[in-house]
């Protein structure tokens, strides 16, 4: 498919982008002409993803970044500016779900980790990046359909994703008119991250049946939605959350 080139001459940072949804987003932005800066915690994963994207003709730069490490976050921004001189798009995709406990049974250290990685690190990354964001720039958070109905083994994770919906509204106010801030809330996408949910065939079928399109999402679906919100096609959209969940119920 011949894609539009909405990101020609633009620089996009995508966190947690060496596999899964993050990789799908990086690939889509790169196919549309962006210089993409990808990152994750392990050098080996970064190197493999860079090679993979380069093989597809994408201009890509990889940096190791554990988002809860202040020095590594700053380094991600500094290295991007050093190499490309600008930042136009930031996609904040890093997340953890270290626990499947009910909320009231979750250890305090785990509550801290969930907040730290899923919410606070996104704020601190933008704090480092904001002086470098071009006029007309765009931030996209990756939340989850679980933001609307946090339940089961994803309850506290879901609540941190609910927080991102509020953060989107608050930062759209704070960062406008220079920068637009929006969120994509994916439905269920069978990635390594979601293995524990989607690897069981009966669970998978139950999820498919909850959608109106009778299928799970793909990383391409998420890449396309994110690229739209990040692009000038969404120039008059800010503070919004786009649910990409095959019609699963989502109300807050």
């Amino acid at each position: 498919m011949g894609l539009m080139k909405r990101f020609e001459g633009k620089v996009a940072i995508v966190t947690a982008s060496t596999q899964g949804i993050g990789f799908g987003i990086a690939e889509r932005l790169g196919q549309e002409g962006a210089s993409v800066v990808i990152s994750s915690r392990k050098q080996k994963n970064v190197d493999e993803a860079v090679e993979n994207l380069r093989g597809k003709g994408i201009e890509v730069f990889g940096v190791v970044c554990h988002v809860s490490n202040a020095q590594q976050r700053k380094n991600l921004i500094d290295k991007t500016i050093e190499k490309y001189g600008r930042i136009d798009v930031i996609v904040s995709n890093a997340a953890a779900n270290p626990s499947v406990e009910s909320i009231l049974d979750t250890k305090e250290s785990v509550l801290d980790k969930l907040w730290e990685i899923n919410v606070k690190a996104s704020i601190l990354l933008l704090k480092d990046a904001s002086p470098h964001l071009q006029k007309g720039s765009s931030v996209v958070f990756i939340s989850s359909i679980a933001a609307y109905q946090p339940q089961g083994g994803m309850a506290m994770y879901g609540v941190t994703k609910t927080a991102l919906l509020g953060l989107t509204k608050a930062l759209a106010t704070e960062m406008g008119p220079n920068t637009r801030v929006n969120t994509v809330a994916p439905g269920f996408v069978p990635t390594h991250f979601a293995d524990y949910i989607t690897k069981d065939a009966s669970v998978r079928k139950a999820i498919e049946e909850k959608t109106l399109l009778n299928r799970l999402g793909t990383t391409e679906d998420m890449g396309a939605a994110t690229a739209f919100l990040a692009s000038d096609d969404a120039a008059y959209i800010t503070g919004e959350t786009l649910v990409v969940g095959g019609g699963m119920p989502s109300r807050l």
Side-chain angles (χ1 to χ4, degrees), residues 173-211:
T173 306
E174 212 171 283
M175 297 179 82
N178 187 69
T179 303
R180 295 180 302 102
V181 183
N182 294 291
T183 288
V184 169
F188 288 89
V189 181
T191 60
H192 174 64
F193 185 80
D195 264 353
Y196 74 104
I197 304 170
T198 53
K199 66 171 182 269
D200 179 317
S202 64
V203 173
R204 196 179 166 133
K205 193 165 169 16
I207 295 170
E208 285 169 352
E209 282 166 3
K210 277 204 187 100
T211 70

mmCIF file of all heavy atoms in Angstrom, residues 173-211:
data_model
loop_
_atom_site.group_PDB
_atom_site.id
_atom_site.type_symbol
_atom_site.label_atom_id
_atom_site.label_comp_id
_atom_site.label_asym_id
_atom_site.label_seq_id
_atom_site.Cartn_x
_atom_site.Cartn_y
_atom_site.Cartn_z
ATOM 1 N N THR A 173 -4.070 21.469 27.564
ATOM 2 C CA THR A 173 -4.249 22.852 28.016
ATOM 3 C C THR A 173 -2.893 23.520 28.208
ATOM 4 O O THR A 173 -2.652 24.632 27.736
ATOM 5 C CB THR A 173 -5.006 22.869 29.373
ATOM 6 O OG1 THR A 173 -6.213 22.131 29.228
ATOM 7 C CG2 THR A 173 -5.328 24.286 29.812
ATOM 8 N N GLU A 174 -2.005 22.805 28.877
ATOM 9 C CA GLU A 174 -0.718 23.374 29.254
ATOM 10 C C GLU A 174 0.235 23.547 28.068
ATOM 11 O O GLU A 174 1.000 24.497 28.016
ATOM 12 C CB GLU A 174 -0.075 22.431 30.281
ATOM 13 C CG GLU A 174 0.773 23.123 31.298
ATOM 14 C CD GLU A 174 1.206 22.176 32.407
ATOM 15 O OE1 GLU A 174 0.388 21.878 33.290
ATOM 16 O OE2 GLU A 174 2.371 21.728 32.375
ATOM 17 N N MET A 175 0.194 22.612 27.128
ATOM 18 C CA MET A 175 1.174 22.620 26.033
ATOM 19 C C MET A 175 0.659 23.289 24.769
ATOM 20 O O MET A 175 1.406 23.508 23.819
ATOM 21 C CB MET A 175 1.649 21.191 25.748
ATOM 22 C CG MET A 175 2.371 20.572 26.939
ATOM 23 S SD MET A 175 2.912 18.858 26.644
ATOM 24 C CE MET A 175 4.450 19.151 25.746
ATOM 25 N N GLY A 176 -0.645 23.576 24.735
ATOM 26 C CA GLY A 176 -1.183 24.298 23.587
ATOM 27 C C GLY A 176 -0.787 25.765 23.677
ATOM 28 O O GLY A 176 -0.447 26.243 24.755
ATOM 29 N N PRO A 177 -0.774 26.527 22.583
ATOM 30 C CA PRO A 177 -1.100 26.071 21.219
ATOM 31 C C PRO A 177 0.094 25.478 20.462
ATOM 32 O O PRO A 177 -0.053 25.029 19.339
ATOM 33 C CB PRO A 177 -1.561 27.372 20.539
ATOM 34 C CG PRO A 177 -0.800 28.434 21.260
ATOM 35 C CD PRO A 177 -0.620 27.974 22.674
ATOM 36 N N ASN A 178 1.277 25.459 21.094
ATOM 37 C CA ASN A 178 2.479 24.962 20.417
ATOM 38 C C ASN A 178 2.389 23.477 20.065
ATOM 39 O O ASN A 178 2.740 23.058 18.958
ATOM 40 C CB ASN A 178 3.694 25.165 21.331
ATOM 41 C CG ASN A 178 5.023 24.841 20.658
ATOM 42 O OD1 ASN A 178 5.449 25.546 19.755
ATOM 43 N ND2 ASN A 178 5.660 23.765 21.086
ATOM 44 N N THR A 179 1.888 22.688 21.027
ATOM 45 C CA THR A 179 1.909 21.228 20.918
ATOM 46 C C THR A 179 0.523 20.654 21.183
ATOM 47 O O THR A 179 -0.128 21.023 22.159
ATOM 48 C CB THR A 179 2.892 20.640 21.962
ATOM 49 O OG1 THR A 179 4.185 21.224 21.760
ATOM 50 C CG2 THR A 179 2.997 19.119 21.848
ATOM 51 N N ARG A 180 0.086 19.749 20.321
ATOM 52 C CA ARG A 180 -1.176 19.032 20.549
ATOM 53 C C ARG A 180 -0.883 17.768 21.363
ATOM 54 O O ARG A 180 0.158 17.147 21.183
ATOM 55 C CB ARG A 180 -1.833 18.642 19.215
ATOM 56 C CG ARG A 180 -2.273 19.829 18.389
ATOM 57 C CD ARG A 180 -2.931 19.434 17.076
ATOM 58 N NE ARG A 180 -2.078 18.620 16.229
ATOM 59 C CZ ARG A 180 -2.162 17.304 16.084
ATOM 60 N NH1 ARG A 180 -3.095 16.603 16.727
ATOM 61 N NH2 ARG A 180 -1.341 16.667 15.286
ATOM 62 N N VAL A 181 -1.819 17.398 22.230
ATOM 63 C CA VAL A 181 -1.646 16.209 23.066
ATOM 64 C C VAL A 181 -2.896 15.344 22.966
ATOM 65 O O VAL A 181 -4.001 15.802 23.282
ATOM 66 C CB VAL A 181 -1.418 16.586 24.550
ATOM 67 C CG1 VAL A 181 -1.176 15.327 25.381
ATOM 68 C CG2 VAL A 181 -0.261 17.573 24.696
ATOM 69 N N ASN A 182 -2.735 14.114 22.499
ATOM 70 C CA ASN A 182 -3.858 13.193 22.349
ATOM 71 C C ASN A 182 -3.455 11.793 22.811
ATOM 72 O O ASN A 182 -2.278 11.535 23.073
ATOM 73 C CB ASN A 182 -4.326 13.141 20.887
ATOM 74 C CG ASN A 182 -4.919 14.465 20.421
ATOM 75 O OD1 ASN A 182 -5.996 14.861 20.860
ATOM 76 N ND2 ASN A 182 -4.209 15.171 19.547
ATOM 77 N N THR A 183 -4.435 10.920 22.851
ATOM 78 C CA THR A 183 -4.189 9.550 23.316
ATOM 79 C C THR A 183 -4.869 8.537 22.412
ATOM 80 O O THR A 183 -5.969 8.791 21.919
ATOM 81 C CB THR A 183 -4.718 9.395 24.767
ATOM 82 O OG1 THR A 183 -3.857 10.118 25.635
ATOM 83 C CG2 THR A 183 -4.764 7.959 25.218
ATOM 84 N N VAL A 184 -4.194 7.414 22.200
ATOM 85 C CA VAL A 184 -4.821 6.248 21.569
ATOM 86 C C VAL A 184 -5.054 5.223 22.675
ATOM 87 O O VAL A 184 -4.152 4.934 23.459
ATOM 88 C CB VAL A 184 -3.924 5.643 20.467
ATOM 89 C CG1 VAL A 184 -4.458 4.280 20.010
ATOM 90 C CG2 VAL A 184 -3.832 6.600 19.275
ATOM 91 N N ALA A 185 -6.278 4.700 22.741
ATOM 92 C CA ALA A 185 -6.591 3.640 23.703
ATOM 93 C C ALA A 185 -6.829 2.345 22.924
ATOM 94 O O ALA A 185 -7.925 2.120 22.402
ATOM 95 C CB ALA A 185 -7.814 4.011 24.527
ATOM 96 N N PRO A 186 -5.789 1.497 22.815
ATOM 97 C CA PRO A 186 -5.946 0.250 22.060
ATOM 98 C C PRO A 186 -6.866 -0.736 22.778
ATOM 99 O O PRO A 186 -6.903 -0.772 24.008
ATOM 100 C CB PRO A 186 -4.525 -0.318 22.008
ATOM 101 C CG PRO A 186 -3.615 0.819 22.326
ATOM 102 C CD PRO A 186 -4.402 1.693 23.256
ATOM 103 N N GLY A 187 -7.576 -1.509 21.982
ATOM 104 C CA GLY A 187 -8.264 -2.681 22.517
ATOM 105 C C GLY A 187 -7.235 -3.787 22.689
ATOM 106 O O GLY A 187 -6.044 -3.521 22.883
ATOM 107 N N PHE A 188 -7.665 -5.033 22.593
ATOM 108 C CA PHE A 188 -6.745 -6.145 22.808
ATOM 109 C C PHE A 188 -5.967 -6.467 21.545
ATOM 110 O O PHE A 188 -6.549 -6.734 20.496
ATOM 111 C CB PHE A 188 -7.506 -7.366 23.307
ATOM 112 C CG PHE A 188 -7.958 -7.198 24.731
ATOM 113 C CD1 PHE A 188 -9.184 -6.621 25.023
ATOM 114 C CD2 PHE A 188 -7.129 -7.572 25.782
ATOM 115 C CE1 PHE A 188 -9.592 -6.436 26.340
ATOM 116 C CE2 PHE A 188 -7.520 -7.390 27.101
ATOM 117 C CZ PHE A 188 -8.751 -6.822 27.378
ATOM 118 N N VAL A 189 -4.645 -6.425 21.662
ATOM 119 C CA VAL A 189 -3.740 -6.711 20.552
ATOM 120 C C VAL A 189 -2.823 -7.840 21.014
ATOM 121 O O VAL A 189 -2.166 -7.710 22.052
ATOM 122 C CB VAL A 189 -2.891 -5.469 20.190
ATOM 123 C CG1 VAL A 189 -1.965 -5.773 19.021
ATOM 124 C CG2 VAL A 189 -3.800 -4.277 19.868
ATOM 125 N N PRO A 190 -2.785 -8.956 20.284
ATOM 126 C CA PRO A 190 -1.941 -10.073 20.717
ATOM 127 C C PRO A 190 -0.457 -9.787 20.501
ATOM 128 O O PRO A 190 0.089 -10.021 19.440
ATOM 129 C CB PRO A 190 -2.423 -11.245 19.850
ATOM 130 C CG PRO A 190 -3.065 -10.616 18.664
ATOM 131 C CD PRO A 190 -3.558 -9.260 19.072
ATOM 132 N N THR A 191 0.182 -9.232 21.528
ATOM 133 C CA THR A 191 1.626 -8.972 21.497
ATOM 134 C C THR A 191 2.239 -9.754 22.646
ATOM 135 O O THR A 191 1.527 -10.331 23.465
ATOM 136 C CB THR A 191 1.915 -7.481 21.736
ATOM 137 O OG1 THR A 191 1.397 -7.128 23.030
ATOM 138 C CG2 THR A 191 1.275 -6.601 20.681
ATOM 139 N N HIS A 192 3.560 -9.711 22.724
ATOM 140 C CA HIS A 192 4.264 -10.363 23.831
ATOM 141 C C HIS A 192 3.755 -9.818 25.172
ATOM 142 O O HIS A 192 3.553 -10.547 26.130
ATOM 143 C CB HIS A 192 5.770 -10.124 23.674
ATOM 144 C CG HIS A 192 6.577 -10.631 24.817
ATOM 145 N ND1 HIS A 192 6.656 -11.969 25.133
ATOM 146 C CD2 HIS A 192 7.325 -9.980 25.750
ATOM 147 C CE1 HIS A 192 7.422 -12.117 26.200
ATOM 148 N NE2 HIS A 192 7.831 -10.931 26.600
ATOM 149 N N PHE A 193 3.517 -8.501 25.227
ATOM 150 C CA PHE A 193 3.055 -7.844 26.455
ATOM 151 C C PHE A 193 1.714 -8.419 26.923
ATOM 152 O O PHE A 193 1.450 -8.525 28.111
ATOM 153 C CB PHE A 193 2.918 -6.334 26.211
ATOM 154 C CG PHE A 193 2.564 -5.535 27.437
ATOM 155 C CD1 PHE A 193 3.536 -5.193 28.373
ATOM 156 C CD2 PHE A 193 1.262 -5.110 27.666
ATOM 157 C CE1 PHE A 193 3.218 -4.454 29.512
ATOM 158 C CE2 PHE A 193 0.932 -4.372 28.803
ATOM 159 C CZ PHE A 193 1.918 -4.039 29.726
ATOM 160 N N ALA A 194 0.864 -8.788 25.964
ATOM 161 C CA ALA A 194 -0.493 -9.251 26.289
ATOM 162 C C ALA A 194 -0.625 -10.769 26.261
ATOM 163 O O ALA A 194 -1.731 -11.306 26.361
ATOM 164 C CB ALA A 194 -1.491 -8.619 25.320
ATOM 165 N N ASP A 195 0.519 -11.449 26.150
ATOM 166 C CA ASP A 195 0.513 -12.922 26.070
ATOM 167 C C ASP A 195 -0.378 -13.582 27.104
ATOM 168 O O ASP A 195 -1.135 -14.501 26.811
ATOM 169 C CB ASP A 195 1.935 -13.478 26.294
ATOM 170 C CG ASP A 195 2.638 -13.742 24.974
ATOM 171 O OD1 ASP A 195 1.965 -13.610 23.931
ATOM 172 O OD2 ASP A 195 3.825 -14.070 24.990
ATOM 173 N N TYR A 196 -0.245 -13.087 28.338
ATOM 174 C CA TYR A 196 -0.948 -13.765 29.431
ATOM 175 C C TYR A 196 -2.468 -13.676 29.268
ATOM 176 O O TYR A 196 -3.200 -14.428 29.880
ATOM 177 C CB TYR A 196 -0.490 -13.212 30.789
ATOM 178 C CG TYR A 196 -1.033 -11.839 31.116
ATOM 179 C CD1 TYR A 196 -2.068 -11.681 32.034
ATOM 180 C CD2 TYR A 196 -0.512 -10.699 30.509
ATOM 181 C CE1 TYR A 196 -2.571 -10.421 32.342
ATOM 182 C CE2 TYR A 196 -1.005 -9.442 30.802
ATOM 183 C CZ TYR A 196 -2.035 -9.307 31.722
ATOM 184 O OH TYR A 196 -2.537 -8.050 32.011
ATOM 185 N N ILE A 197 -2.922 -12.741 28.425
ATOM 186 C CA ILE A 197 -4.366 -12.634 28.169
ATOM 187 C C ILE A 197 -4.759 -13.394 26.902
ATOM 188 O O ILE A 197 -5.739 -14.127 26.876
ATOM 189 C CB ILE A 197 -4.777 -11.160 27.974
ATOM 190 C CG1 ILE A 197 -4.355 -10.336 29.195
ATOM 191 C CG2 ILE A 197 -6.283 -11.034 27.746
ATOM 192 C CD1 ILE A 197 -4.496 -8.853 29.000
ATOM 193 N N THR A 198 -3.986 -13.186 25.831
ATOM 194 C CA THR A 198 -4.441 -13.631 24.514
ATOM 195 C C THR A 198 -3.932 -15.009 24.096
ATOM 196 O O THR A 198 -4.352 -15.527 23.066
ATOM 197 C CB THR A 198 -4.037 -12.598 23.432
ATOM 198 O OG1 THR A 198 -2.630 -12.355 23.527
ATOM 199 C CG2 THR A 198 -4.774 -11.278 23.629
ATOM 200 N N LYS A 199 -3.021 -15.615 24.903
ATOM 201 C CA LYS A 199 -2.488 -16.900 24.424
ATOM 202 C C LYS A 199 -3.485 -18.050 24.618
ATOM 203 O O LYS A 199 -3.422 -19.060 23.943
ATOM 204 C CB LYS A 199 -1.132 -17.212 25.057
ATOM 205 C CG LYS A 199 -1.156 -17.452 26.565
ATOM 206 C CD LYS A 199 0.205 -17.971 27.048
ATOM 207 C CE LYS A 199 0.201 -18.267 28.526
ATOM 208 N NZ LYS A 199 0.604 -17.136 29.371
ATOM 209 N N ASP A 200 -4.424 -17.887 25.540
ATOM 210 C CA ASP A 200 -5.436 -18.908 25.785
ATOM 211 C C ASP A 200 -6.567 -18.760 24.765
ATOM 212 O O ASP A 200 -7.211 -17.716 24.682
ATOM 213 C CB ASP A 200 -5.961 -18.732 27.221
ATOM 214 C CG ASP A 200 -7.047 -19.739 27.584
ATOM 215 O OD1 ASP A 200 -7.942 -19.978 26.743
ATOM 216 O OD2 ASP A 200 -7.018 -20.262 28.704
ATOM 217 N N ALA A 201 -6.792 -19.803 23.982
ATOM 218 C CA ALA A 201 -7.739 -19.714 22.859
ATOM 219 C C ALA A 201 -9.154 -19.327 23.295
ATOM 220 O O ALA A 201 -9.830 -18.551 22.615
ATOM 221 C CB ALA A 201 -7.769 -21.039 22.090
ATOM 222 N N SER A 202 -9.601 -19.853 24.430
ATOM 223 C CA SER A 202 -10.966 -19.557 24.853
ATOM 224 C C SER A 202 -11.102 -18.106 25.335
ATOM 225 O O SER A 202 -12.111 -17.445 25.074
ATOM 226 C CB SER A 202 -11.414 -20.529 25.956
ATOM 227 O OG SER A 202 -10.619 -20.351 27.107
ATOM 228 N N VAL A 203 -10.058 -17.607 26.000
ATOM 229 C CA VAL A 203 -10.049 -16.201 26.435
ATOM 230 C C VAL A 203 -10.045 -15.295 25.208
ATOM 231 O O VAL A 203 -10.794 -14.316 25.119
ATOM 232 C CB VAL A 203 -8.808 -15.892 27.312
ATOM 233 C CG1 VAL A 203 -8.704 -14.404 27.621
ATOM 234 C CG2 VAL A 203 -8.861 -16.699 28.612
ATOM 235 N N ARG A 204 -9.218 -15.688 24.255
ATOM 236 C CA ARG A 204 -9.100 -14.924 23.020
ATOM 237 C C ARG A 204 -10.445 -14.833 22.309
ATOM 238 O O ARG A 204 -10.872 -13.760 21.864
ATOM 239 C CB ARG A 204 -8.074 -15.629 22.127
ATOM 240 C CG ARG A 204 -7.578 -14.791 21.012
ATOM 241 C CD ARG A 204 -6.546 -15.571 20.202
ATOM 242 N NE ARG A 204 -6.356 -14.862 18.965
ATOM 243 C CZ ARG A 204 -5.165 -14.573 18.444
ATOM 244 N NH1 ARG A 204 -4.071 -14.949 19.052
ATOM 245 N NH2 ARG A 204 -5.079 -13.913 17.326
ATOM 246 N N LYS A 205 -11.126 -15.957 22.235
ATOM 247 C CA LYS A 205 -12.440 -16.005 21.579
ATOM 248 C C LYS A 205 -13.449 -15.120 22.324
ATOM 249 O O LYS A 205 -14.228 -14.389 21.708
ATOM 250 C CB LYS A 205 -12.930 -17.455 21.500
ATOM 251 C CG LYS A 205 -14.121 -17.651 20.567
ATOM 252 C CD LYS A 205 -14.319 -19.124 20.264
ATOM 253 C CE LYS A 205 -15.626 -19.443 19.560
ATOM 254 N NZ LYS A 205 -16.343 -18.341 18.942
ATOM 255 N N ALA A 206 -13.394 -15.167 23.643
ATOM 256 C CA ALA A 206 -14.300 -14.335 24.450
ATOM 257 C C ALA A 206 -14.072 -12.844 24.177
ATOM 258 O O ALA A 206 -15.024 -12.070 24.071
ATOM 259 C CB ALA A 206 -14.106 -14.634 25.928
ATOM 260 N N ILE A 207 -12.801 -12.468 24.033
ATOM 261 C CA ILE A 207 -12.477 -11.063 23.734
ATOM 262 C C ILE A 207 -12.971 -10.695 22.338
ATOM 263 O O ILE A 207 -13.591 -9.651 22.134
ATOM 264 C CB ILE A 207 -10.956 -10.794 23.849
ATOM 265 C CG1 ILE A 207 -10.491 -10.992 25.294
ATOM 266 C CG2 ILE A 207 -10.630 -9.385 23.386
ATOM 267 C CD1 ILE A 207 -8.993 -10.977 25.476
ATOM 268 N N GLU A 208 -12.716 -11.577 21.368
ATOM 269 C CA GLU A 208 -13.174 -11.327 19.996
ATOM 270 C C GLU A 208 -14.684 -11.101 19.965
ATOM 271 O O GLU A 208 -15.179 -10.225 19.262
ATOM 272 C CB GLU A 208 -12.795 -12.503 19.079
ATOM 273 C CG GLU A 208 -11.322 -12.520 18.713
ATOM 274 C CD GLU A 208 -10.863 -13.821 18.034
ATOM 275 O OE1 GLU A 208 -11.652 -14.786 17.973
ATOM 276 O OE2 GLU A 208 -9.713 -13.854 17.591
ATOM 277 N N GLU A 209 -15.393 -11.895 20.755
ATOM 278 C CA GLU A 209 -16.857 -11.784 20.773
ATOM 279 C C GLU A 209 -17.347 -10.493 21.420
ATOM 280 O O GLU A 209 -18.459 -10.046 21.153
ATOM 281 C CB GLU A 209 -17.476 -13.012 21.454
ATOM 282 C CG GLU A 209 -17.487 -14.218 20.523
ATOM 283 C CD GLU A 209 -17.774 -15.545 21.210
ATOM 284 O OE1 GLU A 209 -18.024 -15.536 22.450
ATOM 285 O OE2 GLU A 209 -17.731 -16.585 20.529
ATOM 286 N N LYS A 210 -16.503 -9.883 22.262
ATOM 287 C CA LYS A 210 -16.875 -8.592 22.871
ATOM 288 C C LYS A 210 -16.723 -7.435 21.887
ATOM 289 O O LYS A 210 -17.233 -6.346 22.128
ATOM 290 C CB LYS A 210 -15.993 -8.311 24.091
ATOM 291 C CG LYS A 210 -16.454 -8.988 25.366
ATOM 292 C CD LYS A 210 -15.918 -8.231 26.582
ATOM 293 C CE LYS A 210 -16.215 -8.952 27.879
ATOM 294 N NZ LYS A 210 -15.057 -9.717 28.408
ATOM 295 N N THR A 211 -15.966 -7.657 20.819
ATOM 296 C CA THR A 211 -15.812 -6.598 19.812
ATOM 297 C C THR A 211 -16.970 -6.681 18.831
ATOM 298 O O THR A 211 -17.659 -7.703 18.753
ATOM 299 C CB THR A 211 -14.495 -6.739 19.019
ATOM 300 O OG1 THR A 211 -14.594 -7.887 18.160
ATOM 301 C CG2 THR A 211 -13.283 -6.886 19.929
#
